[in-house]
Amino acid sequence: MLAQIWIGSTQETDIVSRIEKIARDAKLPAVAVHVVSQDGAIFSHAFGTHQWNGDTMASLKDKWHLGSCTKAFTAMEIGYLVDSNRLKFETTVKEAFKNESIHESLAAVTLRDLLAHRAGLEANYSWRTLAPPDASLSDRRGKIVRHILAQPVDAEKMGSYSYSNAGYFLAGEIAASNTGKPIEELMERTFKRLGVEKFGFGQMGIADPWPHQGIVPLDPSKGEFDNDEVVRSAGGVHMPITEWGK
């Protein structure tokens, strides 16, 4: 788990005790905290161990799985494309994918709708079932794009907030289609603008905090426990907490 807190004036000892209690009560193996003000970082600390009841202490140098916080970078990159007149927030799915067959209920959905989780799309798909990992990443993403475009949207959800990784996947692919660059390369461009130097995509290694199921550590060398690589625009970045604070 990672946390990022903006505060005015809270004593450091109070922060430490509060975070330790949160971690203890929630049975979290490790927590990284980075407190920033408008003037920059004022407190950073890592608590716990890489594995539940393990020996390797968590540190500020560790990379942490950002999960859906990755979406902020996808949205920011799309914002840059809007600012440079490459896209508009009102760009529709039909305009973005001119050469694809699109279900009529999805055609008028805008980039703004996708980014705001108001497009009526499914929350998730079985990504590896739709596009088995034996194909190239580009081909897999293209296959999933075509599948989503062919599906009707949920009319009752359209226009209302309904969280959707599929929506951010599609938004990322609109950016990729517009620029001819994969979403990873576009996010790297955003990281550079922000001054983020240490980051990675996909599952972390055994030298960083492990994923857990409850309090059971899941050895990253023995399975894939991160989001599938096709949906990195919705949740596939890791970095140290101090980099995330930038």
Side-chain angles (χ1 to χ4, degrees):
M1 176 182 177
L2 55 85
Q4 193 166 4
I5 309 170
W6 283 263
I7 62 172
S9 57
T10 300
Q11 294 297 321
E12 180 175 318
T13 54
D14 184 43
I15 296 173
V16 171
S17 61
R18 288 167 62 187
I19 296 300
E20 286 181 338
K21 184 178 186 306
I22 291 171
R24 184 171 58 252
D25 292 348
K27 294 184 177 180
L28 300 174
V31 179
V33 180
H34 188 56
V35 184
V36 295
S37 72
Q38 62 183 4
D39 299 318
I42 58 176
F43 174 79
S44 300
H45 200 79
F47 305 80
T49 55
H50 284 190
Q51 303 172 43
W52 180 257
N53 286 335
D55 298 322
T56 304
M57 300 299 295
S59 78
L60 293 175
K61 294 181 180 179
D62 289 333
K63 297 185 290 291
W64 299 83
H65 170 71
L66 296 190
S68 284
C69 292
T70 298
K71 292 179 175 67
F73 298 118
T74 299
M76 184 174 289
E77 178 57 34
I78 289 173
Y80 284 126
L81 294 176
V82 170
D83 286 346
S84 59
N85 296 316
R86 296 291 301 268
L87 287 170
K88 297 179 180 179
F89 286 121
E90 290 71 32
T91 296
T92 65
V93 171
K94 184 176 182 179
E95 291 169 340
F97 297 107
K98 296 177 180 178
N99 299 322
E100 301 291 349
S101 297
I102 302 172
H103 193 279
E104 60 181 2
S105 63
L106 184 61
V109 165
T110 67
L111 194 50
R112 188 187 301 275
D113 294 329
L114 295 172
L115 296 175
H117 300 283
R118 297 178 182 274
L121 294 177
E122 295 289 333
N124 280 292
Y125 286 97
S126 179
W127 309 104
R128 290 172 183 154
T129 299
L130 283 178
D134 55 354
S136 71
L137 181 55
S138 177
D139 287 346
R140 293 184 68 207
R141 285 175 173 162
K143 187 173 183 179
I144 294 173
V145 165
R146 290 188 291 275
H147 175 84
I148 294 176
L149 294 181
Q151 309 305 309
V153 298
D154 188 328
E156 293 185 0
K157 292 181 179 179
M158 185 179 288
S160 300
Y161 180 83
S162 182
Y163 197 85
S164 175
N165 283 327
Y168 261 77
F169 164 78
L170 204 58
E173 290 308 292
I174 288 176
S177 176
N178 179 269
T179 60
K181 302 178 185 296
I183 190 61
E184 291 87 350
E185 189 172 336
L186 296 179
M187 281 197 279
E188 286 181 18
R189 187 167 65 178
T190 294
F191 297 152
K192 185 175 182 179
R193 293 187 181 105
L194 294 172
V196 173
E197 299 176 348
K198 300 176 182 178
F199 60 88
F201 298 100
Q203 181 157 291
M204 298 177 297
I206 61 174
D208 291 296
W210 286 20
H212 285 67
Q213 187 171 20
I215 61 173
V216 178
L218 303 174
D219 187 342
S221 70
K222 296 181 179 179
E224 179 63 50
F225 304 110
D226 203 341
N227 296 315
D228 191 277
E229 61 181 353
V230 297
V231 70
R232 284 178 180 161
S233 54
V237 169
H238 55 259
M239 63 179 60
I241 186 70
T242 50
E243 294 288 300
W244 171 226
K246 295 178 178 179

